[in-house]
Amino acid sequence: QLKIHVENDTLILRGSPEESVGCVLRGCVMLRLKETTRVKSIVLNFTGKMKIQWNERNHQHKKESIVLEHNLTLLANQKRLHILTPNQVYKYPFEFILPGNVAESIDSNSYGSLLYKLKAVVDRPAFSPNLIDRQLIRVVRELQLPDYYYSHPLEISNEWPNKIDYRISIPKKAYGRGEQIAIDFALSPKPGSEERLRVRYLSCFLKEYTTFTISHSHHRTESRIIRFFRDEAFPSAGSHWQKTETMTIPFSFDSIQCDTMYNPYFKIEHKLKFTMSLINKHGSLIELRASIPIEIMHQKALQLDANELPSYENAWRSL
């Protein structure tokens, strides 16, 4: 049995491509055999492959490229075949250094992907099937955002003349995966208004937008709903209507991806979008729509992980 083991399948790049000193992928390829086996060589390949493709007006836009490639020989080819014996575990440690300007991963979707993969191959003689194992590696960039992204609330407010004033606010702009967002809604019907409005429901969406770029003039955006709730019990009595709702951001990368700022192939953004449906005394429906952009970041670590190199700033301070 051939198996790739890595210290961490998520690699973190700290800072912008110009600031980041990169990160390290460490692991071990392990081979356990049930019988004596003749082997020509054992190689390990680490590749980052970008694919972008969509159809538009009977024209296909397509771009593929290798953004990173490392090849490592774990057991070299020689004149005679290697004879590997059973009941023994063969271990081949490896280490790859990723530069700080490498692009982040993005999972496959309608228009493209950027995936990093390890592939180990035990090359055997003719008529004997090769042994192969693969491991997907995720690359994430963690940026040092300005302090106000974490400390200053975001608020949007507006009014419908002769009808209602409204305000929507959240505590900050940037959130980590798995965090909760407290969303405060405050509405005030206009004094003397004859509308007699009441809320039918409030719906909130957390949406993710991914824009793929082939050239300056050719790009395509895909959106998906990450989270959704609908509240049909929003208060509508008195002169001030107020309620705080909670939206939980998913933690897994399968459910949500982080915002990007420097990736040359694609851009990921997130927005909170709101729809409030109101009804007046005549039964006429009115909709209030609003949105707030937010940043979804990789969950901040309390200390540097084993696979991360220190930032340039911290590195020179330690000299």
Side-chain angles (χ1 to χ4, degrees), residues 12-24 66-70 97-105 114 116 139-143 261-266 309:
I12 302 174
L13 299 167
R14 293 184 179 274
S16 69
E18 292 76 20
E19 299 168 340
S20 176
V21 294
C23 59
V24 181
I66 301 297
V67 301
L68 182 73
E69 186 168 26
H70 290 295
I97 297 178
L98 278 69
N101 63 351
V102 72
E104 304 98 305
S105 302
L114 202 167
Y116 293 89
V139 177
V140 177
R141 186 173 300 279
E142 189 173 274
L143 298 172
M261 293 186 182
Y262 301 99
N263 197 300
Y265 309 111
F266 58 86
L309 297 173

Side-chain angles (χ1 to χ4, degrees), residues 150-170:
Y150 302 99
S151 58
H152 289 196
L154 286 183
E155 177 181 302
I156 55 174
S157 58
N158 210 334
E159 68 168 339
W160 284 349
N162 304 319
K163 289 183 177 64
I164 198 169
D165 295 328
Y166 67 88
R167 176 180 56 82
I168 307 171
S169 63
I170 57 176

Side-chain angles (χ1 to χ4, degrees), residues 61-75:
H61 298 277
K62 185 175 182 179
K63 183 177 182 180
E64 294 186 7
S65 65
I66 301 297
V67 301
L68 182 73
E69 186 168 26
H70 290 295
N71 296 293
L72 181 63
T73 300
L74 303 176
L75 187 63

Side-chain angles (χ1 to χ4, degrees), residues 236-287:
S236 304
S239 57
H240 298 284
W241 311 341
Q242 191 276 333
K243 191 171 186 179
T244 300
E245 307 275 9
T246 301
M247 173 78 75
T248 301
I249 300 169
F251 183 80
S252 72
F253 281 110
D254 292 335
S255 301
I256 193 167
Q257 301 192 92
C258 299
D259 281 61
T260 63
M261 293 186 182
Y262 301 99
N263 197 300
Y265 309 111
F266 58 86
K267 184 177 181 63
I268 298 175
E269 301 170 289
H270 294 86
K271 288 183 181 180
L272 288 170
K273 299 182 76 73
F274 313 101
T275 300
M276 180 173 282
S277 177
L278 303 104
I279 188 169
N280 64 14
K281 64 179 181 180
H282 304 295
S284 299
L285 301 180
I286 305 170
E287 278 197 348

Side-chain angles (χ1 to χ4, degrees), residues 181-314:
I181 308 174
I183 311 167
D184 187 71
F185 297 87
L187 297 91
S188 300
K190 291 287 189 180
S193 172
E194 297 182 356
E195 293 284 335
R196 296 182 188 174
L197 294 171
R198 64 177 177 86
V199 179
R200 296 176 63 238
Y201 65 83
L202 166 69
S203 61
C204 178
F205 302 82
L206 172 56
K207 294 192 73 174
E208 182 175 274
Y209 300 85
T210 304
T211 301
F212 289 90
T213 301
I214 286 182
S215 65
H216 180 70
S217 58
H218 293 97
H219 49 82
R220 194 73 170 229
T221 299
E222 179 182 62
S223 66
R224 63 170 178 157
I225 297 172
I226 303 298
R227 279 284 190 267
F228 164 78
F229 70 76
R230 178 181 170 117
D231 184 351
E232 297 184 357
F234 197 92
S236 304
S239 57
H240 298 284
W241 311 341
Q242 191 276 333
K243 191 171 186 179
T244 300
E245 307 275 9
T246 301
M247 173 78 75
T248 301
I249 300 169
F251 183 80
S252 72
F253 281 110
D254 292 335
S255 301
I256 193 167
Q257 301 192 92
C258 299
D259 281 61
T260 63
M261 293 186 182
Y262 301 99
N263 197 300
Y265 309 111
F266 58 86
K267 184 177 181 63
I268 298 175
E269 301 170 289
H270 294 86
K271 288 183 181 180
L272 288 170
K273 299 182 76 73
F274 313 101
T275 300
M276 180 173 282
S277 177
L278 303 104
I279 188 169
N280 64 14
K281 64 179 181 180
H282 304 295
S284 299
L285 301 180
I286 305 170
E287 278 197 348
L288 181 158
R289 294 178 180 268
S291 65
I292 299 178
I294 62 172
E295 299 277 342
I296 304 296
M297 313 304 296
H298 179 71
Q299 192 76 349
K300 282 201 163 186
L302 297 178
Q303 57 187 14
L304 286 174
D305 291 339
N307 73 303
E308 297 170 18
L309 297 173
S311 67
Y312 177 79
E313 181 181 6
N314 292 333

Side-chain angles (χ1 to χ4, degrees), residues 36-55:
T36 300
T37 304
R38 296 184 302 164
V39 171
K40 294 167 65 176
S41 65
I42 303 176
V43 296
L44 180 66
N45 174 259
F46 181 45
T47 304
K49 188 172 184 179
M50 182 274 296
K51 293 182 180 180
I52 301 176
Q53 180 177 323
W54 71 81
N55 295 317

